[in-house]
Amino acid sequence: MKSTPLNYPKMKKILTCIISLLLLNHVTAQQATPISASMNKVKLDFILDAGGRPEYKVDYAEKPLINTSRMGIKLANDISLDSNFMVINTERKSVDEQWKPVWGEVSTIRNHYEQVTIHLKQKNNLGRLMDIVFRVFEDGVGFRYEFPIQPNLKYFIVSDEITEFALTGDHKTFWIPGDYDTNEYPYSTTKISEIDNRSMVNASDDIAVKVCPDRYAVQTPLMMKTADGLYINIHEAALVNYSAMQLHVDTKTFKLKASLVPDAIGNMAYMRAACHTPWRTIIVSNKAGEILTSKIILNLNEPSKIENTSWIKPMKFVGVWWEMQTGKSTWNYSNNADIVGADGLLIPNHTHGANTANVERYIDFAAKNGIKGVLVEGWNYGWEEWFGNWKENVFSFVTPYPDFDVAAIAQYAKDKGVVMIMHNETSGSATDYERQMDTAFRFMNKYGYTSVKTGYVGKIIPRGEHHDGAWMVNHYVRAAQKAAEYHIMIDEHEPVRPTGLQRTYPNWMACEAGRGNEYNAFGHGDKPEHETIMPFTRFIGGPMDFTPGILKVKDYTVLPNKQVHTTLVKQLALYVVLYSPIQMAADLPENYEKYADAFQFIKDVGVDWDDTKIIQAEPGEYITTARKEKGTENWFVGAVTNQDSRDEIAPLDFLNKGQKYIATIYADGLDADWDKNPESYKITTYLVDANTKLKLKLAPGGGAAISIKPVSGDTKGIEKYK
Amino acid sequence: MKSTPLNYPKMKKILTCIISLLLLNHVTAQQATPISASMNKVKLDFILDAGGRPEYKVDYAEKPLINTSRMGIKLANDISLDSNFMVINTERKSVDEQWKPVWGEVSTIRNHYEQVTIHLKQKNNLGRLMDIVFRVFEDGVGFRYEFPIQPNLKYFIVSDEITEFALTGDHKTFWIPGDYDTNEYPYSTTKISEIDNRSMVNASDDIAVKVCPDRYAVQTPLMMKTADGLYINIHEAALVNYSAMQLHVDTKTFKLKASLVPDAIGNMAYMRAACHTPWRTIIVSNKAGEILTSKIILNLNEPSKIENTSWIKPMKFVGVWWEMQTGKSTWNYSNNADIVGADGLLIPNHTHGANTANVERYIDFAAKNGIKGVLVEGWNYGWEEWFGNWKENVFSFVTPYPDFDVAAIAQYAKDKGVVMIMHNETSGSATDYERQMDTAFRFMNKYGYTSVKTGYVGKIIPRGEHHDGAWMVNHYVRAAQKAAEYHIMIDEHEPVRPTGLQRTYPNWMACEAGRGNEYNAFGHGDKPEHETIMPFTRFIGGPMDFTPGILKVKDYTVLPNKQVHTTLVKQLALYVVLYSPIQMAADLPENYEKYADAFQFIKDVGVDWDDTKIIQAEPGEYITTARKEKGTENWFVGAVTNQDSRDEIAPLDFLNKGQKYIATIYADGLDADWDKNPESYKITTYLVDANTKLKLKLAPGGGAAISIKPVSGDTKGIEKYK
């Protein structure tokens, strides 16, 4: 990751491309018949229409999945790359390979696709070149536009992308508004014809920064279900140097069109040939669970650019955080940044959470319970007026408040075998963060912090830019790259939603970019169905720092009318259902001590996995997921339901045949209910094996969590499950 | 300069201010009569009109200089701070003090003014507070707006500034267009009523980036002369956290109105009370020379924020630069960034100037001639496509081209007693420079570079921002601050024009922000009058890296139709007339070797001064300046004229009485002419003293340069000047 001249490392590759192009010198006539590629049930057709307009369609199981849809982009200065093309050549490639992620839901990933590259040239004297590359997988299609080195297209500005997804019917859709600055809306479930984000945008007064000019725009990953029971997910992969793709919905024709997030002056991307767009992705299956296990997004990303990944370690963590969310303490040290005491320092408000004694209490708790990390928010100067003012220089990332003894805390944590997690909130001032980044990361190295949680609450600086615009897209990548230089893992809050870049930068453990548990504190809360939709939408792009594990579901210290909209047990189940290689145990130590037997599941559950099985799933209704902890024979199962109670059979046929296991079942109490009685639970232990079929009873807004470990000692007194 | 929590160091001061305000608790009635302040001939009146609108006027020698002019600012969200005010109190202060600049035109500066602060409050229920602070000097007025801490104004966005300068007549004016991105236009000399920048903007195809939406906008420092022979200069001091003030001209009423440079979304500044605007300045005298020696701008700036300044050292330098300007060699190493050779590296074009052998030639030349510094442009990767593409990642600031051996060159320079000057061209990508800045400065420290020349050719990134907007204003300051952290002197090219901040950051040696000698190479050239206007305009704000000293005035290596629009001798005179603590000897070593006797003046001339005398001056016509070299008894005189030849008497009455000196006079040849015969010159040596009156003959576009040193040895054969 050391500094090298920009672009130059890629030159050999580019030279190879030029040579390849020279070999393809026989120009073919315009194709009347489609150019096709298939894998199993998925069939892709590319067509140039009479106007030389590139179009594609996708069939699944011999039925139309995506009707004929337009392709191409438009550039500044009235340059159109969406028509008047001819096909000059076609290349094909078959790939079937396996690779191992540094961490993940499975230990080995198969990358199996048919690729077809269509070399297009415009039929005018400029003869501009554009390639469209399709990859057809067993469970969907990815495609992108590529621009080779050519005489009449070098630097260019993207003004619009023409890409369409022409749907075949008025599908059921799980959507959030296509906002330029936030992904933190609750999900709406409607028909396509009913999509209109206006009322949701207006109602969402719990979101700090919202910019959503198109009432018919929705965010991706967009999850849909057809009347025929097909599940479709549209998203993008490897979003770099381009703005996020949202979808503008034609509610009459069911056509979705790419809608890019503009920069401060209305442009979408600044490119330089040779270059390419991100991949546009369509995942499809007749089984909802296969949407959850699809690896198309990861497979379309580049392999890790970090050679030595030994320092990247999944973990669980606690933190000085929920106590601020619930009003027990504050991020800010003082109540007025304009007044100082006789010592020249801010006057303390004595409600500041990130004080040394309190932090050491969390370290003690983590050490005692085998939780590896401790996050502390509010440790540094700036929180007195941290967001909402579009201020550029808000925080120092190396200056602790007077009551936070960074050196003593670092030593205390080290002595206890705990690692500290840095917090760098930027208030959206990305320019200021980039200025301080090197200094901030050196500070982390000095004090032994191995990971950082970043944040972007507020309007973005450079002013006029958006969280999901191309400049910020590159900023998030730069932050991950810079963190990697310093061997720091990163967890970005309020970024653009992920597109699988964690494969390329495996120190990029998670991000937020979605509506997390925190909205149950300061906001209108998450509906009980929320966590049954999130894995089909937000999590398709990558892990989320959702911050599960709030066991004191109601009656927070200060906020009497707020509560988590799940049962206690569903909070446990989320550690399995919501995938992340870093998982917070988000509640207060005192609440975990109160529910120490339930907390045992959080202590036990894995954070990195050899295998993942979706036992059953239906978006908006239920998900039951089983995962095998990496390098062990331990399995963990999480089941969640929406507002409806549910009886479920969970066969454990993924267990090794003939092996006996002990299952600890954390179940909703019989009288449990997310609203009326959320903290009712029951823990039972049984002997199980691959033939066991667990009968789970999920309360309204409830769930179940099960840890399954091979029998290793005395099983006396443990019943066989029946 | 170490990192401290932002804003907090100022707190004690703020607290003091609050206490001061509390003491001023007796609200006075609205003033019907003006609030006045005077010093010698300068009288300032402040008035609130019937609508509570703040206004001011200035008299000079009991005649109106500035007629009644409106004041105030407007904020976003329709907040007006320009009317409906009452005066709640007035404070007065007299200051007469002296201070010593780290370097400068004089060794001691007197700061002598009467200050009046008018505390205003709006007559509505919000009662917003605004203070106007006037400082009245012997040679002009400075004023600014201040915003104390108050309940109803904390964070605010400036949308317009109302400040007017109502002139008393249709003055003769020396102006350049009020462009958002460049100060590199040639000057126009017209009446105010004739100002219209359109044709100049359209004709200036030699300027890379121009944005000038208002045809009646002009840049400051704006120099004027009244029909009565008064000289007036309007500018600003201490421009930080605010955009540059240009002036919109009403050609009918002769009113100038402040016109601020907008940011990417049309705002002018983002402020947080307590805060203030920059100072608006009016310098006035009936002697043109006193405009040149005014210290108002410096006095209105804060004292040095750098405690230890021992590492800041004025110097002369040569550089690998003019040879690229004149086409002899290239900045870029290769002619095509898309092709690499078998070694994976760029294919060299063999015209690259910054190669080790050539650089060592410049080092040899500098060492031999006692020139301290060597600048090298084009040493680092990126120049193949360096500007014009709005590309963000253009340059690596730590990666030399393959033929530039940075370590060997560093050692070679060190062995020869020469210091290398770093070059960091950004192509306008300020965001990328801020990211790399720490790394770049560490690289300079590692290789012994003690100063850096920065550059901003091209459209600014953050895209939508302008060179003269508030974001970039702060960027230039940040670059100077960051340089100071690393004990690096800085010379910024293509920044906003200076406003005296070199007092506060004395490592900020010079900047460009004006039309330098280089336009005689790649552009339409500088008119012969150019250097007689520049000291009255651009240089009022601070030193410029003009790059004088081109002795081979015509017939550059490659550009046959270009030439410098001065005589050779005038190039010498510029080292005295154009003040800078860093001065380039800009021509090629071979040209200096050709004119070794004339080059002697450049070798001898000082770069830091104890004293400065303007012998005579008239903007657009002539300037003769004498300066005493710091810590010596050596004087240097420079005289320049416009296109007209001129006979001039230069009395040397500034010399010590009774002391004998040897004067070496570099004069235009009798047949010299900037166009027809520019390189004709004659060097003579005489004994002179304080009674000597030199008779100088300046050719059209010519000048004279004189070095005067006390007699220290044998004077046999040296005639007494008659």
Side-chain angles (χ1 to χ4, degrees):
Chain A
M1 305 291 294
K2 74 185 169 63
S3 182
T4 52
L6 296 156
N7 291 328
Y8 293 86
K10 292 185 187 158
M11 284 208 175
K12 266 193 164 159
K13 207 164 176 182
I14 291 167
L15 192 64
T16 313
C17 290
I18 293 171
I19 292 166
S20 305
L21 277 175
L22 293 174
L23 298 175
L24 304 172
N25 53 0
H26 51 105
V27 174
T28 57
Q30 188 181 318
Q31 310 277 324
T33 51
I35 299 165
S36 301
S38 302
M39 180 164 294
N40 293 3
K41 296 182 193 168
V42 180
K43 177 162 182 280
L44 173 279
D45 290 322
F46 173 84
I47 319 102
L48 268 190
D49 81 356
R53 282 185 283 268
E55 296 175 338
Y56 78 101
K57 63 190 184 72
V58 181
D59 292 347
Y60 182 77
E62 298 181 358
K63 285 186 188 166
L65 180 77
I66 304 290
N67 286 332
T68 301
S69 299
R70 290 197 55 194
M71 312 187 83
I73 66 170
K74 285 185 182 286
L75 311 184
N77 304 313
D78 283 331
I79 300 170
S80 289
L81 296 178
D82 66 339
S83 61
N84 200 28
F85 279 110
M86 59 182 175
V87 175
I88 55 170
N89 211 314
T90 300
E91 285 178 287
R92 289 179 178 278
K93 184 166 80 162
S94 299
V95 169
D96 191 357
E97 62 188 12
Q98 292 197 322
W99 59 278
K100 287 184 178 295
V102 175
W103 43 258
E105 296 176 88
V106 293
S107 60
T108 303
I109 292 174
R110 183 182 183 189
N111 185 23
H112 183 204
Y113 62 84
E114 292 293 322
Q115 175 171 303
V116 55
T117 301
I118 296 145
H119 298 285
L120 300 171
K121 183 176 183 176
Q122 279 190 314
K123 296 180 286 185
N124 54 31
N125 60 347
L126 295 173
R128 291 198 179 94
L129 306 171
M130 180 174 82
D131 299 339
I132 302 179
V133 182
F134 291 96
R135 289 188 184 169
V136 183
F137 298 83
E138 288 183 44
D139 57 349
V141 175
F143 61 87
R144 73 179 183 187
Y145 306 99
E146 299 187 351
F147 306 91
I149 290 172
Q150 54 190 296
N152 296 312
L153 192 68
K154 188 170 178 179
Y155 283 96
F156 58 96
I157 296 172
V158 177
S159 60
D160 192 15
E161 182 171 323
I162 301 306
T163 307
E164 290 175 347
F165 303 86
L167 303 171
T168 57
D170 193 8
H171 305 332
K172 182 180 182 182
T173 307
F174 303 85
W175 59 270
I176 56 173
D179 195 294
Y180 296 169
D181 280 290
T182 183
N183 290 270
E184 298 188 5
Y185 291 97
Y187 284 86
S188 299
T189 306
T190 72
K191 291 185 173 181
I192 290 169
S193 60
E194 295 164 349
I195 289 175
D196 178 348
N197 63 41
R198 202 47 32 195
S199 61
M200 177 57 77
V201 171
N202 291 339
S204 296
D205 56 6
D206 50 1
I207 297 178
V209 177
K210 294 176 292 182
V211 174
C212 190
D214 176 2
R215 69 193 297 165
Y216 301 107
V218 295
Q219 184 57 276
T220 72
L222 184 68
M223 185 67 204
M224 293 171 286
K225 184 180 183 183
T226 72
D228 293 346
L230 274 191
Y231 299 89
I232 311 173
N233 186 287
I234 297 179
H235 189 37
E236 63 181 318
L239 171 60
V240 179
N241 201 35
Y242 208 81
S243 65
M245 179 186 73
Q246 305 182 340
L247 297 169
H248 171 83
V249 179
D250 185 326
T251 56
K252 301 282 184 296
T253 63
F254 318 138
K255 268 191 184 171
L256 313 179
K257 181 192 161 294
S259 174
L260 303 176
V261 174
D263 78 351
I265 51 173
N267 295 324
M268 309 307 174
Y270 298 81
M271 304 184 81
R272 197 279 199 198
C275 60
H276 55 75
T277 67
W279 294 97
R280 281 65 188 90
T281 59
I282 303 159
I283 306 174
V284 56
S285 177
N286 52 11
K287 295 193 187 70
E290 289 185 353
I291 303 293
L292 300 179
T293 55
S294 173
K295 294 293 173 278
I296 283 185
I297 299 283
L298 285 175
N299 278 327
L300 289 172
N301 274 273
E302 298 287 317
S304 175
K305 293 191 177 181
I306 303 170
E307 278 188 34
N308 167 16
T309 58
S310 62
W311 49 276
I312 300 172
K313 290 174 181 161
M315 68 173 162
K316 285 170 279 187
F317 65 101
V318 294
V320 181
W321 176 76
W322 187 249
E323 60 178 77
M324 283 88 96
Q325 294 288 0
T326 53
K328 183 188 168 195
S329 68
T330 59
W331 282 275
N332 49 307
Y333 171 82
S334 173
N335 291 333
N336 191 334
D338 287 330
I339 305 178
V340 293
D343 55 0
L345 297 174
L346 289 175
I347 296 169
N349 57 16
H350 302 296
T351 58
H352 179 228
N355 65 77
T356 303
N358 195 36
V359 171
E360 289 181 354
R361 186 171 71 94
Y362 279 81
I363 293 171
D364 288 341
F365 177 79
K368 182 179 159 196
N369 292 287
I371 304 284
K372 188 69 190 172
V374 175
L375 166 75
V376 183
E377 297 203 358
W379 67 277
N380 60 328
Y381 272 87
W383 291 91
E384 281 66 30
E385 35 196 302
W386 71 288
F387 86 95
N389 307 308
W390 227 357
K391 182 181 178 181
E392 185 154 9
N393 303 319
V394 181
F395 290 103
S396 165
F397 298 106
V398 294
T399 314
Y401 278 129
D403 61 347
F404 183 89
D405 187 337
V406 63
I409 287 166
Q411 189 60 49
Y412 193 84
K414 193 177 172 192
D415 291 347
K416 298 261 176 173
V418 165
V419 298
M420 298 301 296
I421 299 175
M422 175 50 67
H423 186 234
N424 284 176
E425 172 58 48
T426 69
S427 291
S429 180
T431 48
D432 191 50
Y433 192 45
E434 294 207 351
R435 284 195 281 276
Q436 294 194 56
M437 228 181 237
D438 264 303
T439 308
F441 283 114
R442 281 199 295 271
F443 184 84
M444 292 176 223
N445 281 170
K446 178 177 177 186
Y447 289 107
Y449 289 75
T450 60
S451 55
V452 61
K453 172 182 175 180
T454 59
Y456 298 89
V457 177
K459 290 165 87 172
I460 292 296
I461 304 178
R463 295 186 185 92
E465 298 292 341
H466 296 287
H467 286 75
D468 288 5
W471 197 88
M472 285 302 293
V473 160
N474 286 346
H475 168 81
Y476 307 124
V477 175
R478 282 194 291 270
Q481 289 172 326
K482 182 65 76 179
E485 280 182 42
Y486 289 89
H487 285 201
I488 299 283
M489 294 173 275
I490 194 164
D491 165 20
E492 302 189 2
H493 279 235
E494 299 88 22
V496 70
R497 74 283 185 278
T499 59
L501 288 165
Q502 64 272 22
R503 177 179 177 187
T504 311
Y505 305 104
N507 68 316
W508 196 344
M509 309 303 279
C511 47
E512 189 181 42
R515 192 175 181 91
N517 235 359
E518 64 186 15
Y519 276 83
N520 290 313
F522 66 74
H524 300 311
D526 298 333
K527 287 183 284 185
E529 68 179 16
H530 187 63
E531 298 86 358
T532 69
I533 300 174
M534 288 290 269
F536 288 98
T537 53
R538 162 61 185 78
F539 280 77
I540 293 296
M544 174 173 175
D545 184 17
F546 185 85
T547 66
I550 303 301
L551 303 191
K552 187 163 169 53
V553 172
K554 273 187 162 180
D555 302 324
Y556 312 146
T557 312
V558 177
L559 301 169
N561 301 319
K562 302 284 185 182
Q563 73 163 95
V564 175
H565 295 63
T566 73
T567 64
L568 179 151
V569 168
K570 185 172 171 182
Q571 288 288 312
L572 302 181
L574 296 180
Y575 287 86
V576 184
V577 173
L578 303 180
Y579 170 64
S580 175
I582 53 160
Q583 287 282 30
M584 188 171 195
D587 210 341
L588 312 180
E590 54 266 41
N591 294 338
Y592 287 137
E593 278 157 7
K594 179 177 175 193
Y595 293 119
D597 55 351
F599 179 60
Q600 186 63 43
F601 181 81
I602 299 177
K603 291 168 65 173
D604 291 344
V605 69
V607 281
D608 195 12
W609 312 102
D610 276 334
D611 204 1
T612 288
K613 304 284 182 191
I614 306 298
I615 296 175
Q616 60 169 14
E618 179 65 25
E621 302 195 20
Y622 54 82
I623 301 175
T624 302
T625 303
R627 302 193 199 265
K628 178 168 168 290
E629 189 181 14
K630 189 165 271 182
T632 76
E633 293 297 328
N634 302 334
W635 285 80
F636 296 87
V637 178
V640 296
T641 179
N642 59 7
Q643 66 285 350
D644 298 328
S645 66
R646 212 170 288 275
D647 289 305
E648 178 186 333
I649 305 297
L652 304 183
D653 50 7
F654 46 79
L655 297 177
N656 291 337
K657 308 294 170 215
Q659 169 79 51
K660 293 286 174 197
Y661 296 82
I662 295 173
T664 307
I665 303 169
Y666 302 76
D668 288 323
L670 289 178
D671 54 349
D673 177 281
W674 71 268
D675 187 21
K676 300 188 194 77
N677 192 21
E679 292 168 20
S680 166
Y681 63 95
K682 188 180 168 194
I683 304 172
T684 52
T685 304
Y686 294 97
L687 286 173
V688 298
D689 60 27
N691 298 317
T692 304
K693 291 181 168 51
L694 294 180
K695 290 172 283 288
L696 304 176
K697 185 166 181 60
L698 281 47
I706 305 144
S707 67
I708 305 172
K709 300 183 182 181
V711 167
S712 63
D714 183 13
T715 60
K716 203 175 73 177
I718 305 179
E719 265 185 79
K720 190 167 182 326
Y721 189 86
K722 279 178 281 214
Chain B
M1 304 291 295
K2 74 184 168 66
S3 183
T4 53
L6 297 156
N7 291 329
Y8 293 86
K10 291 185 186 157
M11 285 208 174
K12 266 193 165 159
K13 207 165 179 181
I14 291 166
L15 193 65
T16 313
C17 288
I18 294 171
I19 292 166
S20 304
L21 278 174
L22 293 173
L23 297 174
L24 304 171
N25 53 1
H26 50 106
V27 173
T28 58
Q30 189 181 317
Q31 310 277 323
T33 52
I35 300 166
S36 301
S38 300
M39 180 164 294
N40 295 0
K41 297 181 191 169
V42 180
K43 178 163 182 279
L44 173 280
D45 289 322
F46 172 84
I47 318 101
L48 266 191
D49 82 356
R53 283 185 283 267
E55 297 174 337
Y56 78 102
K57 63 190 183 75
V58 181
D59 291 346
Y60 182 78
E62 298 182 358
K63 286 185 187 166
L65 180 78
I66 304 290
N67 286 331
T68 301
S69 299
R70 291 195 56 192
M71 311 188 81
I73 65 170
K74 285 185 182 287
L75 311 184
N77 304 314
D78 284 330
I79 299 171
S80 289
L81 296 178
D82 66 340
S83 62
N84 201 27
F85 279 110
M86 60 181 174
V87 175
I88 55 169
N89 212 315
T90 300
E91 284 178 288
R92 288 179 179 279
K93 185 166 79 163
S94 299
V95 170
D96 191 357
E97 62 188 10
Q98 292 196 323
W99 60 278
K100 287 185 178 294
V102 175
W103 43 259
E105 297 176 88
V106 294
S107 60
T108 303
I109 291 173
R110 184 183 183 189
N111 185 23
H112 183 205
Y113 62 84
E114 292 293 321
Q115 175 170 304
V116 55
T117 301
I118 295 145
H119 297 284
L120 299 172
K121 183 176 183 176
Q122 281 191 313
K123 296 181 287 185
N124 55 31
N125 60 349
L126 295 173
R128 291 198 178 95
L129 305 171
M130 180 173 81
D131 299 339
I132 303 180
V133 183
F134 291 96
R135 289 189 184 170
V136 183
F137 299 84
E138 288 183 44
D139 58 349
V141 174
F143 62 86
R144 72 179 183 187
Y145 306 99
E146 300 188 349
F147 306 91
I149 290 172
Q150 53 190 295
N152 295 313
L153 192 67
K154 188 171 180 180
Y155 284 96
F156 57 98
I157 296 172
V158 177
S159 60
D160 193 14
E161 181 170 323
I162 301 306
T163 306
E164 290 175 346
F165 304 86
L167 303 171
T168 58
D170 194 8
H171 305 334
K172 182 180 182 182
T173 306
F174 303 84
W175 59 271
I176 57 173
D179 194 294
Y180 296 170
D181 280 290
T182 182
N183 291 269
E184 299 189 5
Y185 291 98
Y187 284 87
S188 299
T189 306
T190 72
K191 291 185 173 180
I192 289 169
S193 59
E194 295 163 348
I195 288 174
D196 178 348
N197 64 39
R198 200 49 30 195
S199 61
M200 177 58 77
V201 171
N202 290 340
S204 296
D205 56 6
D206 50 1
I207 297 178
V209 178
K210 294 175 293 184
V211 175
C212 189
D214 176 2
R215 67 194 298 164
Y216 301 107
V218 295
Q219 185 58 276
T220 73
L222 185 68
M223 185 67 203
M224 292 171 286
K225 185 179 184 183
T226 72
D228 293 347
L230 274 191
Y231 300 89
I232 311 171
N233 186 287
I234 297 179
H235 189 38
E236 64 180 317
L239 171 60
V240 179
N241 202 34
Y242 208 81
S243 65
M245 180 185 73
Q246 305 183 339
L247 297 169
H248 171 84
V249 178
D250 185 325
T251 56
K252 303 280 185 294
T253 64
F254 318 138
K255 268 192 184 171
L256 314 179
K257 182 192 160 296
S259 175
L260 304 176
V261 175
D263 77 351
I265 52 174
N267 295 324
M268 309 306 174
Y270 298 80
M271 304 185 81
R272 197 279 199 199
C275 59
H276 54 74
T277 67
W279 294 95
R280 280 67 188 90
T281 60
I282 303 160
I283 306 174
V284 57
S285 178
N286 52 13
K287 295 192 188 72
E290 290 185 354
I291 302 292
L292 300 179
T293 55
S294 174
K295 294 293 174 280
I296 283 185
I297 299 283
L298 283 175
N299 278 326
L300 289 172
N301 274 273
E302 299 287 316
S304 175
K305 294 192 175 179
I306 303 171
E307 279 187 32
N308 167 17
T309 58
S310 62
W311 50 275
I312 300 172
K313 291 174 181 162
M315 68 172 163
K316 285 170 280 188
F317 64 100
V318 293
V320 182
W321 177 75
W322 187 249
E323 61 178 77
M324 282 89 95
Q325 294 287 358
T326 52
K328 184 189 168 197
S329 67
T330 59
W331 281 275
N332 47 309
Y333 171 83
S334 173
N335 291 333
N336 191 334
D338 287 329
I339 304 179
V340 291
D343 55 1
L345 297 174
L346 289 175
I347 296 168
N349 57 16
H350 302 298
T351 58
H352 180 228
N355 65 77
T356 303
N358 195 36
V359 170
E360 289 182 354
R361 186 170 71 95
Y362 278 81
I363 294 171
D364 289 341
F365 177 79
K368 182 179 159 197
N369 291 287
I371 305 285
K372 189 67 190 173
V374 175
L375 166 74
V376 183
E377 298 202 357
W379 67 277
N380 59 329
Y381 272 87
W383 291 90
E384 281 66 31
E385 35 196 300
W386 69 288
F387 86 95
N389 307 309
W390 228 356
K391 181 180 177 180
E392 185 154 9
N393 303 320
V394 180
F395 290 103
S396 165
F397 298 106
V398 295
T399 313
Y401 277 131
D403 61 347
F404 183 89
D405 186 338
V406 63
I409 287 166
Q411 188 60 50
Y412 193 84
K414 193 177 173 193
D415 292 346
K416 298 259 176 173
V418 166
V419 297
M420 298 302 296
I421 299 175
M422 176 48 68
H423 185 234
N424 284 175
E425 171 60 47
T426 69
S427 292
S429 180
T431 47
D432 190 50
Y433 192 45
E434 294 206 350
R435 285 194 280 275
Q436 294 194 55
M437 228 181 238
D438 263 303
T439 308
F441 283 115
R442 281 199 296 269
F443 183 83
M444 292 176 223
N445 281 170
K446 178 177 176 185
Y447 290 108
Y449 288 74
T450 61
S451 55
V452 61
K453 172 182 175 179
T454 58
Y456 297 90
V457 177
K459 292 165 86 171
I460 293 296
I461 303 177
R463 296 187 184 93
E465 298 292 341
H466 295 287
H467 285 75
D468 288 6
W471 196 89
M472 284 303 293
V473 160
N474 287 346
H475 168 82
Y476 306 125
V477 175
R478 281 194 292 269
Q481 290 172 324
K482 182 64 76 177
E485 281 181 44
Y486 290 89
H487 285 201
I488 299 282
M489 295 173 273
I490 193 164
D491 166 20
E492 302 190 1
H493 278 235
E494 300 89 21
V496 70
R497 74 282 184 279
T499 58
L501 287 166
Q502 65 271 25
R503 178 179 177 188
T504 311
Y505 305 103
N507 68 316
W508 196 345
M509 309 303 280
C511 47
E512 190 180 42
R515 191 176 182 90
N517 235 359
E518 65 186 14
Y519 277 84
N520 290 313
F522 66 75
H524 300 312
D526 298 334
K527 287 182 285 184
E529 68 179 16
H530 188 63
E531 298 84 357
T532 70
I533 300 173
M534 289 290 269
F536 288 98
T537 52
R538 163 62 185 78
F539 280 77
I540 293 296
M544 176 173 173
D545 184 18
F546 185 85
T547 64
I550 302 301
L551 303 191
K552 186 163 169 55
V553 173
K554 275 188 160 177
D555 302 325
Y556 313 144
T557 312
V558 177
L559 302 169
N561 301 319
K562 303 284 184 182
Q563 73 163 95
V564 175
H565 295 64
T566 73
T567 64
L568 179 151
V569 169
K570 185 172 171 182
Q571 288 288 313
L572 302 181
L574 297 180
Y575 286 86
V576 185
V577 173
L578 303 180
Y579 170 64
S580 176
I582 52 159
Q583 286 283 29
M584 188 171 197
D587 210 342
L588 312 181
E590 54 266 41
N591 295 337
Y592 288 135
E593 279 157 6
K594 179 178 175 190
Y595 293 119
D597 55 351
F599 179 60
Q600 186 64 41
F601 181 82
I602 299 177
K603 290 168 64 172
D604 290 344
V605 68
V607 283
D608 196 12
W609 312 101
D610 275 335
D611 204 2
T612 289
K613 305 285 183 191
I614 305 299
I615 296 174
Q616 61 169 13
E618 179 65 25
E621 302 195 20
Y622 53 83
I623 300 175
T624 303
T625 303
R627 303 194 197 265
K628 179 168 167 289
E629 189 181 13
K630 188 164 271 182
T632 76
E633 293 297 329
N634 302 334
W635 285 81
F636 295 87
V637 178
V640 296
T641 179
N642 59 7
Q643 66 285 349
D644 298 328
S645 67
R646 210 169 291 273
D647 290 304
E648 178 186 333
I649 306 295
L652 303 184
D653 51 6
F654 46 80
L655 297 178
N656 291 338
K657 307 295 169 212
Q659 169 78 52
K660 294 287 175 196
Y661 297 81
I662 295 173
T664 307
I665 303 169
Y666 301 76
D668 288 323
L670 290 178
D671 55 350
D673 177 280
W674 71 268
D675 186 21
K676 299 189 196 76
N677 192 21
E679 292 167 23
S680 167
Y681 64 95
K682 188 181 167 193
I683 304 172
T684 53
T685 304
Y686 293 99
L687 286 171
V688 299
D689 60 26
N691 298 316
T692 303
K693 289 181 169 53
L694 295 180
K695 291 172 282 290
L696 304 176
K697 186 166 182 57
L698 280 49
I706 306 146
S707 68
I708 304 173
K709 300 183 182 181
V711 167
S712 63
D714 184 11
T715 60
K716 203 174 74 176
I718 305 180
E719 265 185 81
K720 188 169 183 326
Y721 189 88
K722 280 178 280 215

